[in-house]
Amino acid sequence: QLTYPWRPGEKPDFTYAMINWLSQVAADRVYFNSEYQRAGWFDELPRLLKHFPDCSHMPLLPGVRAKSVVLPVGCDLARLDVARPSEAALARSVRPRDVPVILWNQRWEYDKAPEVFLRVLDVLVSEGLPFQVILAGSNVRQKADEFEAARERLGARVIHYGWANAPTYARLLWRADVVVSTALHEFFGIAVVEAVYCGCLPLLPRRLSYPEVIPAGCHEVCLYDGTEDLLARLRWVLAHLHEACQSAQGLPEAVARYDWASMAPRYDAALRDLALDRAATTGLRTRRALDGRVNPDS
């Protein structure tokens, strides 16, 4: 909450940031989704705490930082296998296909900057490049004007629009070729990981959590710098899709490490270590209390 990119003119509400901070102070251990999230939090936190000159919490910062670790999000990627094409179907199909399919599968909200993505699509249309687009994602607003207008402009290029139930969502991911993010704010990127797991080539900002999620060997292919670079890369990918996908081979297997089959043991180990540390600390305090050196309730 502390580093969320508020809309221009909006006044940040620090209530939730303070709840986050007080929870961290009380916790035995603090887990972050990514190093980007952890670093951003501790970079911004002093500016929040300095608003309160009395009873400053600044001396607590080193202790909270010391008990903070990165533990990536566990993703239910196995559920997407329900729509995985069979080996025989893959052998018969042409992938990448003649008309590439571009995917948007993130929230239709300000912090994902969908208007940037839609402007890029408009340029591609004006240049006559062939493509289809999936505009999937949740929308908490009454009406997403920019998406409605884009749907009108793109016409028959749109092969799906709006929310999709679980089986449909899985089919859409396996059908798409390229997934694009233009996010202003991303602490992990579950939607992107899901798309990459299903074989989509990602085009992502070279910032936020994406350089951690995408293996370093694929950064030059998958990460872009600014809107013009995104446009140039997407233009090239649409014209050379097979070559682009070949250069990012191994990505689905790389992001499969975030499936719960791999992440659950990591969470189990983290919680087990935490419990052991807690027991050791409690035992030490008990022994000291029995020795009469401290009050057992202190």
Side-chain angles (χ1 to χ4, degrees), residues 157-171:
R157 293 176 184 265
V158 179
I159 57 178
H160 176 87
Y161 182 86
W163 181 84
N165 60 27
T168 302
Y169 179 67
R171 288 195 297 271

Side-chain angles (χ1 to χ4, degrees), residues 279-294:
T281 301
T282 302
L284 178 60
R285 292 174 61 191
T286 301
R287 287 194 298 273
R288 287 178 175 175
L290 291 173
D291 289 341
R293 283 178 278 178
V294 297

Side-chain angles (χ1 to χ4, degrees), residues 31-213:
Y31 299 100
F32 288 86
N33 294 344
S34 61
E35 178 56 35
Y36 166 76
Q37 182 188 21
R38 178 169 66 171
W41 171 261
F42 285 110
D43 179 62
E44 189 65 30
L45 191 56
R47 285 182 278 276
L48 173 68
L49 298 182
K50 287 176 181 178
H51 281 86
F52 307 93
D54 297 330
C55 301
S56 172
H57 284 190
M58 291 295 289
L60 299 175
L61 264 171
V64 173
R65 187 191 295 269
K67 62 183 179 181
S68 298
V69 295
V70 173
L71 186 63
V73 176
C75 303
D76 187 8
L77 300 178
R79 84 187 195 283
L80 302 172
D81 289 335
V82 66
R84 180 188 290 272
S86 66
E87 293 299 325
L90 286 172
R92 291 194 301 269
S93 67
V94 179
R95 183 181 174 93
R97 50 186 63 80
D98 292 336
V99 180
V101 178
I102 303 172
L103 170 69
W104 174 278
N105 65 329
Q106 297 157 73
R107 288 184 291 106
W108 296 9
E109 297 299 329
Y110 167 77
D111 63 307
K112 302 304 181 186
E115 70 283 353
V116 176
F117 170 70
L118 297 174
R119 284 201 303 268
V120 167
L121 294 188
D122 288 340
V123 174
L124 298 176
V125 170
S126 70
E127 295 176 352
L129 291 175
F131 68 89
Q132 295 176 312
V133 62
I134 294 169
L135 298 176
S138 61
N139 172 30
V140 300
R141 293 175 287 169
Q142 292 295 321
K143 187 177 181 182
D145 293 332
E146 67 272 42
F147 279 91
E148 291 288 347
R151 184 184 192 181
E152 291 294 323
R153 295 194 304 271
L154 293 167
R157 293 176 184 265
V158 179
I159 57 178
H160 176 87
Y161 182 86
W163 181 84
N165 60 27
T168 302
Y169 179 67
R171 288 195 297 271
L172 291 172
L173 295 193
W174 286 106
R175 183 175 181 182
D177 298 297
V178 185
V179 61
V180 176
S181 170
T182 50
L184 304 172
H185 175 260
E186 189 67 85
F187 283 151
F188 181 73
I190 293 176
V192 166
V193 167
E194 291 175 338
V196 172
Y197 177 77
C198 293
C200 292
L201 174 72
L203 291 179
L204 315 168
R206 197 188 302 271
R207 50 185 174 79
L208 310 175
S209 60
Y210 295 128
E212 297 176 59
V213 173

